[in-house]
Amino acid sequence: MAAKISRGGNKLEFIDLKKQYELMKAAVDSRIQAVLSHGQFIMGPEVKELEDKLAVYTGSQHAITCASGTDALMIALMALGVGPGDEIITTPFSFIATAEVISVLHATPVFVDIDPRTYNIDASRLEEAITANTKAIIAVSLYGQCADFDAINTIAQRHSVTVIEDGAQSFGATYKGRRSCNLSAIGCTSFFPSKPLGGYGDGGACFTNDADLASKIKQIRVHGQDRRYHHPMIGINGRLDTLQAAVLLAKFECFAQEVEARIQIGNRYSELLAGAVVTPFIEPHNTSVYAQYTVQVDDREMVQSELKKSKIPTAVHYPVPLHLQPAFATLGYKAGDFPISEAAARRVISLPMGPYLSKSDQRAVAEALIEATALKTLAAR
Ligand SMILES: Cc1ncc(COP(=O)(O)O)c(C=O)c1O
């Protein structure tokens, strides 16, 4: 039986960006209008204003915006001089961008399985994957919770390897009181619209406390140029549009409140769903921004189709671990190589989430999910 949902006719969105826009319309519209009026669409003043604010927020000395989270990761690797022959250790349980950028630069992704409770790379398995060719580790802070950066940094230092945080999903989260993206040599994030801080198009940023890396990142973002038409290194066209910076500045005004709301909504889901499904485990020293609120269920296909009957949208982050993606077939991995990631990929399901998710909608989602998992239990009897 489909759970009853009453929302006065409004469709429940997986992430409700329209509602957010309604609430921030005045600020967003006026910021956009300002850009249309001054006309500096490339590297306009909003870009620097945003970078200053992002640096203060994360506590990083340098925040360098760029065109996407993928570009942030690629620029970070380019700034480290990554190329053919280099090995980059990362997690197989992430969005493809994390490992894709390694292959784009003709370096080799080396996967290490995850911690089954946090879904983040298992620091205790890192050392066995490090070789003389290892240049960097990209640790992803998945679903909005930071990986264990103290442990990762300690191991990396021992082997002179650089640590990059893929904080595409964790901007705003804290690890031992410190902000995501300021936990390792370079932090990278994404401003994809559905991310905790999202623009109205693609966007991203790199963060670092190393002045030399910051200057390389800035050059790489603009075709490797140090001054107009002088190119000491190879770079890309990786700038953030001024219009996106303007949107992000408007949204940033409410970001702290939104992070608080996300935490409360995440905690509430966990209370409502306790005992029915495997709810997210958040380390006591972490706060999660719940970019995704993701649980584990036994029969995901059935649960997803039951929720669909109740008009509840869900998503799977991610159904195929990276080592089993055809694009990485040449790396030579096979099923069974990373059993924890593979099990997670079979069982995870993400629920509607966002800072403006109403209590009644949340309750309806939880009730429908509990009902769907109970069906599974009944069927098993
Ligand atoms: C973990 C992770 N890394 C990297 C990216 C890439 O970010 P973007 O879509 O902004 O290129 C994403 C975005 O989906 C992501 O979730």
Side-chain angles (χ1 to χ4, degrees), residues 8-9 25 38 84 111 113 128 132 164 167 200 204 237 248 253 269 283 292 303 318 328 347 358 361 367:
K25 186 176 178 346
H38 69 55
F111 296 117
D113 215 347
E128 64 204 46
I164 296 172
Y200 289 157
N237 176 356
L248 289 162
E253 285 173 30
Y269 257 141
E283 294 279 8
Q292 311 298 343
V303 166
Y318 296 90
F328 290 125
R347 294 173 50 83
S358 72
D361 278 350
E367 280 171 6

Side-chain angles (χ1 to χ4, degrees), residues 12-345:
L12 175 59
E13 302 285 346
F14 185 65
I15 294 172
D16 199 343
L17 293 176
K18 277 184 256 159
K19 175 124 180 231
Q20 188 196 41
Y21 175 61
E22 280 164 24
L23 293 166
M24 299 180 185
K25 186 176 178 346
V28 171
D29 290 3
S30 108
R31 279 285 189 177
I32 289 177
Q33 191 53 57
V35 178
L36 297 180
S37 301
H38 69 55
Q40 295 177 60
F41 299 112
I42 302 293
M43 297 305 275
E46 286 80 2
V47 173
K48 170 84 169 61
E49 186 183 343
L50 177 67
E51 289 177 342
D52 289 347
K53 289 196 166 143
L54 296 176
V56 170
Y57 181 77
T58 56
S60 303
Q61 280 169 34
H62 308 274
I64 303 122
T65 54
C66 59
S68 67
T70 308
D71 273 3
L73 290 166
M74 190 157 79
I75 292 171
L77 291 177
M78 288 171 81
L80 298 177
V82 167
D86 292 330
E87 293 173 5
I88 310 294
I89 296 176
T90 192
T91 162
F93 196 56
S94 181
F95 180 58
I96 191 152
T98 310
E100 184 182 44
V101 289
I102 302 168
S103 296
V104 167
L105 294 174
H106 304 287
T108 307
V110 173
F111 296 117
V112 164
D113 215 347
I114 54 168
D115 175 332
R117 296 184 310 167
T118 63
Y119 306 102
N120 287 327
I121 200 162
D122 183 345
S124 72
R125 295 170 190 261
L126 273 178
E127 209 137 26
E128 64 204 46
I130 294 178
T131 72
N133 296 324
T134 307
K135 190 129 191 186
I137 297 167
I138 303 181
V140 179
S141 296
L142 202 72
Y143 300 151
Q145 169 172 221
C146 295
D148 189 359
F149 280 95
D150 279 356
I152 296 166
N153 286 329
T154 304
I155 296 162
Q157 259 161 24
R158 208 180 294 147
H159 297 272
S160 304
V161 164
T162 306
V163 179
I164 296 172
E165 179 186 11
D166 180 345
Q169 301 185 8
S170 59
F171 191 74
T174 58
Y175 170 84
K176 300 183 183 176
R178 287 176 281 144
R179 284 246 159 82
S180 172
C181 294
N182 187 25
L183 302 173
S184 67
I186 308 178
C188 298
T189 198
S190 162
F191 302 127
F192 187 82
S194 59
K195 295 293 191 254
L197 179 62
Y200 289 157
D202 280 307
C206 293
F207 300 82
T208 184
N209 293 313
D210 180 317
D212 183 46
L213 278 177
S215 127
K216 283 188 183 141
I217 290 168
K218 274 188 202 152
Q219 281 189 40
I220 293 165
R221 156 178 84 170
V222 192
H223 303 288
Q225 88 176 11
D226 58 354
R227 68 209 139 95
R228 200 157 194 179
Y229 303 135
H230 291 261
H231 307 269
M233 58 165 79
I234 293 293
I236 61 170
N237 176 356
R239 295 167 296 226
L240 180 73
D241 286 345
T242 311
L243 276 168
Q244 292 308 333
V247 170
L248 289 162
L249 278 166
K251 288 205 186 185
F252 194 63
E253 285 173 30
C254 301
F255 187 62
Q257 286 141 262
E258 289 194 348
V259 167
E260 274 314 304
R262 282 178 171 282
I263 292 170
Q264 275 175 27
I265 289 167
N267 291 344
R268 189 153 184 275
Y269 257 141
S270 294
E271 282 162 23
L272 290 167
L273 294 169
V277 295
V278 180
T279 54
F281 168 78
I282 308 301
E283 294 279 8
H285 55 247
N286 279 343
T287 58
S288 174
V289 287
Y290 294 106
Q292 311 298 343
Y293 185 89
T294 305
V295 299
Q296 285 187 42
V297 294
D298 287 336
D299 185 345
R300 182 173 63 207
E301 221 169 285
M302 187 274 281
V303 166
Q304 243 189 328
S305 90
E306 285 301 311
L307 291 180
K308 200 170 169 195
K309 285 186 207 158
S310 301
K311 302 210 167 23
I312 293 172
T314 57
V316 175
H317 304 96
Y318 296 90
V320 182
L322 298 180
H323 66 289
L324 301 180
Q325 290 287 356
F328 290 125
T330 51
L331 296 176
Y333 290 107
K334 57 182 187 322
D337 282 348
F338 304 107
I340 301 169
S341 297
E342 289 167 30

Side-chain angles (χ1 to χ4, degrees), residues 5 12 269 307 312 351-352 361-370:
I5 281 201
L12 175 59
Y269 257 141
L307 291 180
I312 293 172
L351 307 179
D361 278 350
Q362 206 185 358
R363 180 168 289 282
V365 172
E367 280 171 6
L369 179 58
I370 291 166

